[in-house]
mmCIF file of all heavy atoms in Angstrom:
data_model
loop_
_atom_site.group_PDB
_atom_site.id
_atom_site.type_symbol
_atom_site.label_atom_id
_atom_site.label_comp_id
_atom_site.label_asym_id
_atom_site.label_seq_id
_atom_site.Cartn_x
_atom_site.Cartn_y
_atom_site.Cartn_z
ATOM 1 N N ALA P 348 -27.451 -82.539 151.665
ATOM 2 C CA ALA P 348 -27.360 -82.080 153.003
ATOM 3 C C ALA P 348 -26.634 -80.737 153.122
ATOM 4 O O ALA P 348 -26.929 -79.863 153.930
ATOM 5 C CB ALA P 348 -26.708 -83.095 153.889
ATOM 6 N N LYS P 349 -25.661 -80.579 152.246
ATOM 7 C CA LYS P 349 -24.779 -79.444 152.394
ATOM 8 C C LYS P 349 -25.134 -78.306 151.334
ATOM 9 O O LYS P 349 -24.365 -77.455 151.062
ATOM 10 C CB LYS P 349 -23.325 -79.782 152.188
ATOM 11 C CG LYS P 349 -22.896 -80.828 153.237
ATOM 12 C CD LYS P 349 -21.368 -80.961 153.323
ATOM 13 C CE LYS P 349 -20.833 -81.469 151.985
ATOM 14 N NZ LYS P 349 -19.396 -81.491 151.951
ATOM 15 N N SER P 350 -26.317 -78.484 150.593
ATOM 16 C CA SER P 350 -26.542 -77.643 149.440
ATOM 17 C C SER P 350 -26.526 -76.132 149.826
ATOM 18 O O SER P 350 -26.000 -75.355 149.111
ATOM 19 C CB SER P 350 -27.862 -78.013 148.802
ATOM 20 O OG SER P 350 -28.893 -77.614 149.611
ATOM 21 N N VAL P 351 -27.042 -75.769 150.908
ATOM 22 C CA VAL P 351 -27.116 -74.314 151.229
ATOM 23 C C VAL P 351 -25.722 -73.737 151.500
ATOM 24 O O VAL P 351 -25.305 -72.819 150.830
ATOM 25 C CB VAL P 351 -28.172 -73.989 152.343
ATOM 26 C CG1 VAL P 351 -28.070 -72.513 152.727
ATOM 27 C CG2 VAL P 351 -29.580 -74.311 151.879
ATOM 28 N N PRO P 352 -25.011 -74.319 152.538
ATOM 29 C CA PRO P 352 -23.732 -73.714 152.679
ATOM 30 C C PRO P 352 -22.758 -73.853 151.497
ATOM 31 O O PRO P 352 -22.098 -72.894 151.201
ATOM 32 C CB PRO P 352 -23.131 -74.589 153.853
ATOM 33 C CG PRO P 352 -24.117 -75.709 154.068
ATOM 34 C CD PRO P 352 -25.366 -75.277 153.453
ATOM 35 N N ASP P 353 -22.881 -74.934 150.741
ATOM 36 C CA ASP P 353 -22.014 -75.042 149.551
ATOM 37 C C ASP P 353 -22.353 -73.925 148.530
ATOM 38 O O ASP P 353 -21.448 -73.351 147.950
ATOM 39 C CB ASP P 353 -22.183 -76.418 148.852
ATOM 40 C CG ASP P 353 -21.139 -77.369 149.349
ATOM 41 O OD1 ASP P 353 -20.477 -77.034 150.385
ATOM 42 O OD2 ASP P 353 -20.905 -78.369 148.711
ATOM 43 N N SER P 354 -23.597 -73.673 148.340
ATOM 44 C CA SER P 354 -23.940 -72.686 147.291
ATOM 45 C C SER P 354 -23.532 -71.303 147.809
ATOM 46 O O SER P 354 -23.162 -70.398 147.022
ATOM 47 C CB SER P 354 -25.414 -72.707 146.899
ATOM 48 O OG SER P 354 -26.188 -72.018 147.856
ATOM 49 N N THR P 355 -23.595 -71.138 149.148
ATOM 50 C CA THR P 355 -23.073 -69.814 149.683
ATOM 51 C C THR P 355 -21.642 -69.692 149.445
ATOM 52 O O THR P 355 -21.145 -68.673 149.003
ATOM 53 C CB THR P 355 -23.361 -69.762 151.230
ATOM 54 O OG1 THR P 355 -24.747 -69.909 151.435
ATOM 55 C CG2 THR P 355 -22.948 -68.461 151.760
ATOM 56 N N ARG P 356 -20.892 -70.793 149.672
ATOM 57 C CA ARG P 356 -19.439 -70.772 149.484
ATOM 58 C C ARG P 356 -19.155 -70.553 147.967
ATOM 59 O O ARG P 356 -18.258 -69.794 147.622
ATOM 60 C CB ARG P 356 -18.813 -72.082 149.954
ATOM 61 C CG ARG P 356 -18.228 -71.981 151.327
ATOM 62 C CD ARG P 356 -17.190 -73.055 151.548
ATOM 63 N NE ARG P 356 -17.778 -74.406 151.576
ATOM 64 C CZ ARG P 356 -18.384 -74.929 152.627
ATOM 65 N NH1 ARG P 356 -18.503 -74.307 153.760
ATOM 66 N NH2 ARG P 356 -18.868 -76.152 152.476
ATOM 67 N N ARG P 357 -19.921 -71.284 147.116
ATOM 68 C CA ARG P 357 -19.788 -71.076 145.670
ATOM 69 C C ARG P 357 -20.020 -69.613 145.283
ATOM 70 O O ARG P 357 -19.219 -69.052 144.500
ATOM 71 C CB ARG P 357 -20.601 -72.003 144.877
ATOM 72 C CG ARG P 357 -20.128 -73.376 144.622
ATOM 73 C CD ARG P 357 -20.823 -73.991 143.460
ATOM 74 N NE ARG P 357 -22.244 -73.949 143.550
ATOM 75 C CZ ARG P 357 -23.017 -74.805 144.232
ATOM 76 N NH1 ARG P 357 -22.510 -75.713 144.971
ATOM 77 N NH2 ARG P 357 -24.317 -74.686 144.291
ATOM 78 N N SER P 358 -21.073 -69.058 145.791
ATOM 79 C CA SER P 358 -21.416 -67.670 145.450
ATOM 80 C C SER P 358 -20.331 -66.753 145.905
ATOM 81 O O SER P 358 -19.941 -65.843 145.141
ATOM 82 C CB SER P 358 -22.724 -67.291 146.142
ATOM 83 O OG SER P 358 -23.803 -68.047 145.639
ATOM 84 N N GLU P 359 -19.822 -66.959 147.093
ATOM 85 C CA GLU P 359 -18.809 -66.092 147.633
ATOM 86 C C GLU P 359 -17.573 -66.170 146.780
ATOM 87 O O GLU P 359 -16.923 -65.200 146.465
ATOM 88 C CB GLU P 359 -18.536 -66.513 149.115
ATOM 89 C CG GLU P 359 -17.570 -65.530 149.822
ATOM 90 C CD GLU P 359 -17.946 -64.078 149.727
ATOM 91 O OE1 GLU P 359 -19.199 -63.753 149.594
ATOM 92 O OE2 GLU P 359 -17.080 -63.251 149.680
ATOM 93 N N LYS P 360 -17.204 -67.414 146.410
ATOM 94 C CA LYS P 360 -16.028 -67.630 145.596
ATOM 95 C C LYS P 360 -16.231 -66.937 144.167
ATOM 96 O O LYS P 360 -15.304 -66.292 143.679
ATOM 97 C CB LYS P 360 -15.758 -69.081 145.405
ATOM 98 C CG LYS P 360 -14.357 -69.488 145.068
ATOM 99 C CD LYS P 360 -14.219 -70.956 144.978
ATOM 100 C CE LYS P 360 -13.068 -71.347 143.964
ATOM 101 N NZ LYS P 360 -13.107 -72.730 143.616
ATOM 102 N N SER P 361 -17.368 -67.089 143.590
ATOM 103 C CA SER P 361 -17.672 -66.496 142.288
ATOM 104 C C SER P 361 -17.610 -64.963 142.396
ATOM 105 O O SER P 361 -17.065 -64.301 141.542
ATOM 106 C CB SER P 361 -19.046 -66.903 141.788
ATOM 107 O OG SER P 361 -19.087 -68.260 141.617
ATOM 108 N N ARG P 362 -18.237 -64.484 143.489
ATOM 109 C CA ARG P 362 -18.263 -63.046 143.674
ATOM 110 C C ARG P 362 -16.849 -62.458 143.768
ATOM 111 O O ARG P 362 -16.505 -61.471 143.090
ATOM 112 C CB ARG P 362 -19.037 -62.732 144.953
ATOM 113 C CG ARG P 362 -19.268 -61.229 145.231
ATOM 114 C CD ARG P 362 -19.945 -61.081 146.592
ATOM 115 N NE ARG P 362 -21.272 -61.666 146.642
ATOM 116 C CZ ARG P 362 -22.416 -60.985 146.203
ATOM 117 N NH1 ARG P 362 -22.345 -59.802 145.840
ATOM 118 N NH2 ARG P 362 -23.549 -61.638 146.337
ATOM 119 N N ARG P 363 -16.031 -63.118 144.514
ATOM 120 C CA ARG P 363 -14.625 -62.669 144.668
ATOM 121 C C ARG P 363 -13.890 -62.731 143.339
ATOM 122 O O ARG P 363 -13.139 -61.878 142.955
ATOM 123 C CB ARG P 363 -13.934 -63.490 145.769
ATOM 124 C CG ARG P 363 -12.549 -63.072 146.194
ATOM 125 C CD ARG P 363 -12.460 -61.608 146.583
ATOM 126 N NE ARG P 363 -13.362 -61.182 147.603
ATOM 127 C CZ ARG P 363 -13.126 -61.136 148.894
ATOM 128 N NH1 ARG P 363 -11.982 -61.689 149.395
ATOM 129 N NH2 ARG P 363 -13.990 -60.699 149.790
ATOM 130 N N ALA P 364 -14.094 -63.845 142.545
ATOM 131 C CA ALA P 364 -13.476 -64.008 141.289
ATOM 132 C C ALA P 364 -13.957 -62.957 140.322
ATOM 133 O O ALA P 364 -13.123 -62.420 139.541
ATOM 134 C CB ALA P 364 -13.819 -65.424 140.734
ATOM 135 N N ILE P 365 -15.209 -62.585 140.371
ATOM 136 C CA ILE P 365 -15.762 -61.540 139.499
ATOM 137 C C ILE P 365 -15.131 -60.180 139.888
ATOM 138 O O ILE P 365 -14.706 -59.405 138.949
ATOM 139 C CB ILE P 365 -17.296 -61.540 139.616
ATOM 140 C CG1 ILE P 365 -17.838 -62.763 138.957
ATOM 141 C CG2 ILE P 365 -17.810 -60.234 138.990
ATOM 142 C CD1 ILE P 365 -19.261 -63.054 139.316
#
Side-chain angles (χ1 to χ4, degrees):
Chain P
K349 301 194 296 175
S350 70
V351 173
D353 265 15
S354 84
T355 302
R356 264 199 294 277
R357 273 201 310 277
S358 294
E359 186 51 31
K360 202 178 151 194
S361 297
R362 185 183 296 272
R363 188 53 55 90
I365 290 163

